[in-house]
Structures are given as structure tokens and as C-alpha cells.
């Protein structure tokens, strides 16, 4: 047929017996397009070498030929698992804050990292939790910011408590504050009035 083929008041049916039924939309020089009720287009973009889903004004989804790289204009909602195999998950925003929003309406929200660590928003405990494969390693309480660590904390620069107290507490053993300097004196400064000093050169304890 040299011109348009139009079905008025009926359906277009492609039916094959014993083989694959195929609708082949071909243009030798321009894009191949399936128009759907003047609302959407399915387009084989010849110049861009990609499949395009368009509404009546703009591209809303594209999939590149060969790589399968996809692009979506709006939000993507997945009812079940969303998995990236062999690639990276990238969140990028232009001119605004890029946000990964992990939400559960009834249970904890969790980011699983290589089956080794979890970042968890603990709903019942109202706290942020860092877990390894078996136990909580760090918690941060919502509101107060109170933080708990399972192991030792090493700080390369100053450690300062603003507006609170420093508490050292041990269960079933001796609670120890170990102030160590490898080259100079070890000092506990008290309100800029007094010092407790381990005088390394004099090999003596000094109250100043």
C-alpha cells in the first residue's frame, strides 16, 4: 500500500499460525513511529539509535540500542526489588539536592552493603544504626544525637565535649582513661586553672 492504512470503527489484528506474528514498522530515511491515540508515541529514533517513549510534547523514556542504557523523565516506582547487576547506582541532581530516600511505612529502612554492613533507621528504637553481619556497631539516637560505639574510638585531632560531661564507665572491669603522648608530657587540663601532668623528662607526676 502506497499511502495510509486506516481502520475506522474496528481493530487492527496481526495473527500468525505456527510462527511469530510481527508488526514491522520501517522507514528507510526517518524514524519509525507507532502513534497511540495522539497521547503517546513509540519511536525508533534513527539518528539517536535509541527507542523512545514520548507523550504529546516530550520524551518520557529512552533506551539506547546496544547498551540498553535507560533514561526516565520522572520518578520510578518499583513494587518489588530493584537490583543493579554489574554496574553502579548513581543519584545525580542538577541545581538541587540529590537524595536517596529509603522508606518503609511499617518496618525499618535499611541500606545493605555487600552483606557485610547495614545502615538502618531503627523505627522502634528511633535511632540510626550501623551493623555488621551479626551486631550493632554504632547507634545515634534521634533528637538527642546520643551516640554509642561497640569498640574503641580513635581521634586524630582534638576531642571536645561541648555542654556535657565526659563519662568513662566499665561493666565488670576497671574503667580507665589513658592519656598518652609518645614524645611529650601527657596532660589533663582542668578549666584552664589546673593541670595533671605526667612529666616525661622528670619522670614524675605534677599538679600545676
Amino acid at each position: 500500500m502506497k499511502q495510509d492504512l486506516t481502520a475506522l470503527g474496528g481493530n487492527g489484528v496481526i495473527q500468525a499460525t505456527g510462527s511469530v506474528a510481527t508488526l514491522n514498522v520501517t522507514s528507510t530515511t526517518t524514524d519509525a513511529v507507532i502513534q497511540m491515540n495522539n497521547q503517546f508515541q513509540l519511536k525508533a529514533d534513527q539518528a539517536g539509535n535509541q527507542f523512545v517513549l514520548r507523550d504529546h510534547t516530550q520524551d518520557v523514556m529512552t533506551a539506547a540500542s546496544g547498551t540498553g542504557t535507560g533514561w526516565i523523565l520522572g520518578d520510578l516506582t518499583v513494587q518489588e526489588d530493584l537490583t543493579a547487576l554489574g554496574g553502579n547506582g548513581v543519584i545525580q541532581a542538577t541545581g538541587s539536592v540529590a537524595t536517596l530516600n529509603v522508606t518503609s511505612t511499617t518496618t525499618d529502612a535499611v541500606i545493605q552493603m555487600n552483606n557485610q554492613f547495614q545502615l538502618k533507621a531503627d523505627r522502634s528504637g528511633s535511632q540510626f544504626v550501623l551493623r555488621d553481619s551479626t551486631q550493632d556497631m554504632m547507634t545515634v539516637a534521634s533528637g538527642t544525637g546520643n551516640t554509642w560505639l561497640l569498640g574503641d574510638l580513635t581521634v586524630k585531632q582534638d576531642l571536645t565535649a561541648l555542654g556535657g560531661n565526659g563519662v568513662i564507665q566499665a561493666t565488670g572491669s576497671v574503667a580507665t582513661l589513658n592519656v598518652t603522648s609518645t614524645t611529650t608530657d601527657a596532660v589533663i587540663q582542668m578549666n584552664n586553672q589546673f593541670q595533671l601532668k605526667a612529666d616525661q623528662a622528670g619522670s614524675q607526676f605534677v599538679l600545676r
Side-chain angles (χ1 to χ4, degrees), residues 63-81:
S65 179
T67 64
T69 299
W71 172 88
I72 294 175
L73 174 65
D75 297 333
L76 172 65
T77 301
V78 181
Q79 290 291 101
E80 299 296 332
D81 294 341

Side-chain angles (χ1 to χ4, degrees), residues 101-139:
N101 195 353
V102 182
T103 305
S104 172
T105 55
T106 56
T107 60
D108 300 332
V110 176
I111 298 175
Q112 185 81 27
M113 304 174 72
N114 208 29
N115 289 323
Q116 292 178 300
F117 294 98
Q118 278 187 356
L119 303 177
K120 182 171 72 171
D122 179 2
R123 179 183 289 272
S124 60
S126 191
Q127 61 183 353
F128 172 82
V129 180
L130 170 62
R131 286 182 58 84
D132 63 12
S133 59
T134 59
Q135 60 192 337
D136 293 353
M137 300 174 56
M138 183 179 75
T139 64

Side-chain angles (χ1 to χ4, degrees), residues 21-204:
T22 304
L23 170 63
N24 195 352
V25 182
T26 305
S27 172
T28 56
T29 57
T30 62
D31 302 330
V33 176
I34 298 176
Q35 185 81 27
M36 303 173 71
N37 207 28
N38 290 322
Q39 291 178 300
F40 292 98
Q41 280 186 354
L42 303 178
K43 183 171 73 170
D45 177 5
Q46 194 171 57
N49 198 27
Q50 61 183 352
F51 171 83
V52 180
L53 170 62
R54 286 182 58 83
D55 62 15
H56 60 282
T57 58
Q58 61 192 336
D59 296 351
V60 295
M61 184 179 74
T62 65
S65 179
T67 64
T69 299
W71 172 88
I72 294 175
L73 174 65
D75 297 333
L76 172 65
T77 301
V78 181
Q79 290 291 101
E80 299 296 332
D81 294 341
L82 175 62
T83 305
L85 299 174
N88 299 313
V90 179
I91 300 171
Q92 184 174 349
T94 303
S96 61
V97 178
T99 302
L100 170 63
N101 195 353
V102 182
T103 305
S104 172
T105 55
T106 56
T107 60
D108 300 332
V110 176
I111 298 175
Q112 185 81 27
M113 304 174 72
N114 208 29
N115 289 323
Q116 292 178 300
F117 294 98
Q118 278 187 356
L119 303 177
K120 182 171 72 171
D122 179 2
R123 179 183 289 272
S124 60
S126 191
Q127 61 183 353
F128 172 82
V129 180
L130 170 62
R131 286 182 58 84
D132 63 12
S133 59
T134 59
Q135 60 192 337
D136 293 353
M137 300 174 56
M138 183 179 75
T139 64
V140 181
S142 179
T144 63
N146 289 341
T147 302
W148 172 87
L149 293 174
L150 175 64
D152 296 334
L153 172 65
T154 301
V155 181
K156 289 288 182 178
Q157 301 297 325
D158 294 339
L159 175 61
T160 304
L162 299 174
N165 300 313
V167 179
I168 300 171
Q169 184 175 347
T171 303
S173 61
V174 178
T176 303
L177 171 62
N178 194 353
V179 182
T180 305
S181 173
T182 56
T183 56
T184 61
D185 301 331
V187 176
I188 298 176
Q189 185 81 28
M190 305 173 70
N191 208 29
N192 289 323
Q193 291 179 302
F194 295 98
Q195 280 186 354
L196 302 178
K197 182 171 71 170
D199 179 3
Q200 194 171 58
S203 191
Q204 59 183 350

